[in-house]
Amino acid sequence: MNTTTASTLPAAAAQKIPWRKSKKLDQWICYWSVPFFYNLFGIVFVPLSWMMPPRSPSSPLPDVVAFMQSHNLLLACAILTLAYGLAPVSNAVYLTQMKRMSVNPAFRVTLMIGSIAGAIVGMLFPLFCFGLGAFRSGYEPAVLQMLYDFGYLAFIGSLGCFCAMWMAFGLAILLDHNNILPKWLGYYTVWQFVTELVAAPVWIDKSGAFGWNGLMTFWLAMLIYVPWQFIVYVCIYKAIRDQPEDELDNAVARKPGRAPAGAGA
Amino acid sequence: MTVADASAVVDRDTRTTVVTRSRHVPGEPSMWFFVIGDLFIFAIYFVLYVVYRQQQHALFLSSEQHLNQGIGAINTVVLLTSSLFVALGTQTARLGKARDAMRLFVFAAATGALFPILKLVEWLPELGAGLTPGHNLFFMFYYVMAGLHLCHVMLGLVIMCFVIRDLRISKAPDMKFIEAGATYWHMVDLLWLVLFALFYLMR
Amino acid sequence: MTAYLRNPLTIVWAFLSFSTVVSWALSRDVGGSAQMSALVTTGVLLIAAVKAQFVIRYFMEVRHAPAWLQRTLNAWLILLFAFLLGAYFAGL
């Protein structure tokens, strides 16, 4: 936290304002919840449950049943249930900076609604599917197989859902005259959402390059997406740091005893 | 960068347009960042296609026979012609002839709009004959790659409309924007040249 | 109108369209049946590489661009076609 506060307040540092009193404190808390959230996600998905990298869509039934009923999956789903609420906080970081752009609010609203829909399809659905298998023993293997398909298809096959939302984000960066985020990031975002379109065939193919664990659908999309996610947060960091204090739209607390203008009329 | 970036410098004394041709980045550098990245992403897809093709070449060879090479070739010429109009239009706009440039961009957009129509003419019988993306790996690659390219074409047509609007309403055309749009459209053309060779022609 | 016809861009376009027809004829007449043909593939890919280079240099105006841009696009073209041909011959 020390490194953050030291570098986050270059202007304020001269005036020796303690970081706790920074007007951007709430934004910074939101901001630093993001690495926490993504690390948690990474631990839960990869070493804890091995849900990711995706298991084969054509794995044999006994393997699917063993995975769906494993204790680690249960633990992973429990953590996800508790951490689910961090998704809106991380999206608030984007939205706060997008609000400063000289573009129509429709872009911001698209990102907002898109991220809500995306979190439901991409996070809540898999959570329910895998959670049902893990928490409720006694389902038929065929039912577990269906939940397995449902969970993975919701997670990876919903990438198209994120497409429109990142398109709004990319276009907002490109059309913005205030240069809140760099233009090349807008172009990078365009590649990012275009590669997500390629994930559509996961609904058709059950193996090979276009399965949900395929080279074309998953790995190449990840090759573009993972660096993109890091770079976006570095750029957002700079945007928050460089935001002038007088531009912050935190509501000013009304002092007791001083009536607001026009209140007496 | 030591050399001036300007493409067309109007000399005030002689009232002539001096075109400094050397060392000029068309459009904006950030747009080239996009084009180069897009070219490399497509390059990865293209190479992967050949790798998968060679693993199951009997399947791919027999599937390739179902494609309509004629429409593929016509579409190549369609995009090349559209690109020519765009290149001529950019040159003309640089000379300050906004009206002529606009006319050339309208031709370019009209020719470019033939591409999606011909794609429809090509795909509908194929889809009707059961050659859908789920038919085999070749058709999956074919529809995904051509579909991705088609998205680029549609976006290019939208950009072209904005270029035409800019040429029509503004006194001094925004050369940076026109060049950026033109570069994007040539990239669409470039990707199709490779797609055409890989999917329709190679044996 | 004649100025457009005599424009170098139009000559490049005529060459590109002509080579499209040539590569189509090569694929149809030499490689018509469903047979692997290294000759057709090499020919078709080399024609495509030449066409790509013309589009890059003339239409995209990269021949007037700074060296870094020329080098990057040359690298793209050479790497792409080297890998395409490499992948083709490795899997023969």
Side-chain angles (χ1 to χ4, degrees):
Chain A
M1 206 60 195
N2 274 337
T3 49
T4 336
T5 46
S7 51
T8 51
L9 304 165
Q15 299 156 27
K16 297 274 185 263
I17 296 177
W19 64 268
R20 290 184 305 279
K21 297 225 171 122
S22 161
K23 282 182 181 163
K24 292 180 187 169
L25 183 61
D26 41 4
Q27 256 198 92
W28 285 121
I29 292 172
C30 283
Y31 181 85
W32 288 105
S33 80
V34 174
F36 172 72
F37 177 57
Y38 276 92
N39 276 315
L40 199 65
F41 240 61
I43 293 167
V44 165
F45 279 119
V46 184
L48 184 60
S49 63
W50 292 112
M51 212 187 283
M52 289 285 143
R55 287 155 177 270
S56 168
S58 48
S59 12
L61 197 53
D63 288 4
V64 172
V65 173
F67 166 69
M68 291 297 282
Q69 294 179 335
S70 66
H71 289 292
N72 282 359
L73 189 67
L74 187 141
L75 201 58
C77 288
I79 296 172
L80 279 185
T81 319
L82 298 172
Y84 179 62
L86 283 172
V89 181
S90 67
N91 287 312
V93 177
Y94 295 108
L95 293 167
T96 320
Q97 290 305 314
M98 271 178 92
K99 197 168 179 223
R100 302 170 58 207
M101 296 179 181
S102 68
V103 292
N104 192 294
F107 288 96
R108 193 157 28 102
V109 175
T110 306
L111 184 86
M112 197 188 305
I113 311 284
S115 61
I116 294 168
I120 291 170
V121 186
M123 192 167 161
L124 204 57
F125 279 14
L127 177 69
F128 282 147
C129 293
F130 294 124
L132 271 173
F135 282 103
R136 293 283 181 272
S137 54
Y139 277 122
E140 300 276 319
V143 174
L144 287 178
Q145 172 81 58
M146 194 199 107
L147 289 173
Y148 177 82
D149 280 349
F150 188 1
Y152 271 121
L153 283 177
F155 193 88
I156 296 162
S158 70
L159 287 174
C161 167
F162 292 92
C163 192
M165 135 187 181
W166 294 129
M167 185 157 68
F169 185 63
L171 282 177
I173 296 174
L174 291 176
L175 297 174
D176 165 38
H177 291 302
N178 295 340
N179 291 323
I180 304 297
L181 292 170
K183 294 284 172 256
W184 54 263
L185 183 67
Y187 288 118
Y188 193 170
T189 308
V190 175
W191 307 331
Q192 205 272 111
F193 76 72
V194 168
T195 48
E196 286 187 353
L197 279 179
V198 181
V202 299
W203 291 89
I204 299 170
D205 276 14
K206 291 193 77 177
S207 62
F210 291 94
W212 70 50
N213 60 344
L215 213 48
M216 295 286 285
T217 44
F218 181 78
W219 291 105
L220 277 181
M222 282 298 126
L223 186 74
I224 306 286
Y225 169 76
V226 172
W228 176 82
Q229 190 68 72
F230 278 103
I231 290 167
V232 165
Y233 276 100
V234 172
C235 292
I236 293 262
Y237 174 86
K238 290 187 175 153
I240 301 177
R241 188 192 61 195
D242 298 339
Q243 181 173 9
E245 293 245 330
D246 55 6
E247 205 194 87
L248 294 167
D249 49 8
N250 304 1
V252 180
R254 242 184 275 134
K255 295 248 166 63
R258 198 208 282 170
Chain B
M1 214 176 293
T2 51
V3 191
D5 246 359
S7 60
V9 182
V10 178
D11 191 322
R12 283 187 188 188
D13 301 324
T14 54
R15 279 277 159 217
T16 53
T17 306
V18 182
V19 181
T20 49
R21 274 320 196 72
S22 59
R23 308 281 152 165
H24 160 65
V25 180
E28 308 152 40
S30 68
M31 199 268 328
W32 275 100
F33 172 81
F34 172 74
V35 166
I36 291 167
D38 221 28
L39 287 175
F40 275 96
I41 293 171
F42 264 93
I44 296 174
Y45 288 147
F46 290 148
V47 173
L48 274 178
Y49 167 73
V50 176
V51 170
Y52 277 99
R53 179 192 191 273
Q54 293 305 87
Q55 284 173 2
Q56 310 180 32
H57 49 71
L59 171 81
F60 276 64
L61 276 166
S62 62
S63 304
E64 281 161 3
Q65 300 293 311
H66 296 290
L67 296 195
N68 191 332
Q69 276 190 332
I71 293 189
I74 292 169
N75 254 341
T76 310
V77 177
V78 161
L79 278 191
L80 286 171
T81 312
S82 182
S83 251
L84 170 69
F85 284 132
V86 165
L88 289 174
T90 312
Q91 249 182 22
T92 313
R94 207 173 277 142
L95 297 171
K97 298 184 205 158
R99 280 213 69 79
D100 290 353
M102 191 198 85
R103 207 167 295 134
L104 284 163
F105 272 97
V106 169
F107 286 147
T111 327
L114 286 176
F115 186 90
I117 296 169
L118 283 168
K119 269 265 140 292
L120 215 60
V121 173
E122 181 187 5
W123 278 356
L124 285 179
E126 285 171 6
L127 290 169
L131 302 172
T132 57
H135 186 65
N136 64 35
L137 188 60
F138 171 79
F139 281 99
M140 181 60 93
F141 263 109
Y142 168 67
Y143 285 108
V144 167
M145 299 297 295
L148 209 54
H149 177 263
L150 193 61
C151 291
H152 282 70
V153 172
M154 301 312 257
L155 179 62
L157 290 173
V158 172
I159 293 174
M160 209 110 75
C161 292
F162 279 102
V163 170
I164 293 168
R165 193 186 71 154
D166 182 69
L167 283 167
R168 207 175 55 194
I169 60 172
S170 68
K171 285 271 178 286
D174 179 358
M175 268 330 288
K176 287 269 169 220
F177 175 62
I178 295 173
E179 284 176 355
T183 306
Y184 176 84
W185 190 247
H186 298 315
M187 179 196 77
V188 171
D189 188 13
L190 180 57
L191 290 174
W192 178 257
L193 289 181
V194 186
L195 261 169
F196 176 61
L198 289 182
F199 284 87
Y200 294 79
L201 300 180
M202 157 178 187
R203 286 289 172 261
Chain C
M1 192 62 210
T2 48
Y4 290 137
L5 285 177
R6 268 182 283 135
N7 193 306
L9 291 172
T10 312
I11 297 161
V12 168
W13 168 84
F15 167 75
L16 289 170
S17 301
F18 175 69
S19 51
T20 302
V21 176
V22 169
S23 61
W24 176 24
L26 179 66
S27 174
R28 195 190 51 189
D29 300 336
V30 184
S33 55
Q35 291 280 315
M36 290 276 262
S37 166
L39 176 73
V40 171
T41 302
T42 313
V44 158
L45 285 181
L46 286 181
I47 293 175
V50 171
K51 282 159 74 181
Q53 181 69 337
F54 270 93
V55 170
I56 290 171
R57 289 190 70 79
Y58 285 85
F59 285 178
M60 290 174 128
E61 302 183 338
V62 169
R63 72 201 164 113
H64 298 307
W68 65 266
L69 192 53
Q70 299 198 2
R71 271 201 291 269
T72 311
L73 286 169
N74 281 340
W76 175 78
L77 194 75
I78 292 166
L79 281 175
L80 171 62
F81 282 93
F83 271 96
L84 288 179
L85 284 168
Y88 180 81
F89 283 103
L92 264 184

